[in-house]
Each structure stands twice: as C-alpha cells, then as structure tokens.
Amino acid sequence: MSVMDKLKQMLKGHEDQAGKGVDKAGDMVDEKTQGKYKGQVDTAQDKLKGQFGAGQDKDQPPQQ
C-alpha cells in the first residue's frame, strides 16, 4: 500500500478539512516565497485536492 493510499484512507470522510489544510500550506509557501512560485503552488494544490477528493460531491469518485 502506497503512502498516498494510506493518506486517502485516513482522510476518508474528512475531505473538506484536508482541502483546507492543502490551502493553508499552499498559502504559507506563497508567503515564504513572496508569490514567486504561485502558479506551481496553485497547480499542486489543485492536484492534491483532486487526489483527496476535497471540494467534490461525495457521490463522485476521486480524480486519478
């Protein structure tokens, strides 16, 4: 079982909280880098939220 699979299993049912954590971490990176990598950070945030299923309907499976 991969690390990502373990994280998904642990976060099941808490997708909204995971999404908030991803947002907060990305905002911190943007602040520390003074927005230099904002595009890359936003892309990473979107991909992580897709992996965790944050911001999606509970009836839909997570993106892969």
Side-chain angles (χ1 to χ4, degrees), residues 7-62:
L7 281 172
K8 286 179 189 179
Q9 189 176 21
M10 288 172 38
L11 295 172
K12 194 169 201 150
H14 304 285
E15 292 85 3
D16 291 337
Q17 289 178 331
K20 288 178 186 177
V22 169
D23 284 337
K24 194 171 186 177
D27 292 345
M28 185 188 72
V29 171
D30 281 337
E31 182 181 321
K32 295 286 184 181
T33 61
Q34 299 173 351
K36 186 175 181 180
Y37 303 104
K38 184 165 179 44
Q40 291 90 338
V41 171
D42 289 344
T43 301
Q45 285 176 314
D46 291 341
K47 288 187 178 193
L48 279 172
K49 286 181 187 178
Q51 286 288 319
F52 294 144
Q56 295 181 349
D57 292 333
K58 302 230 185 257
D59 298 334
Q60 294 180 343

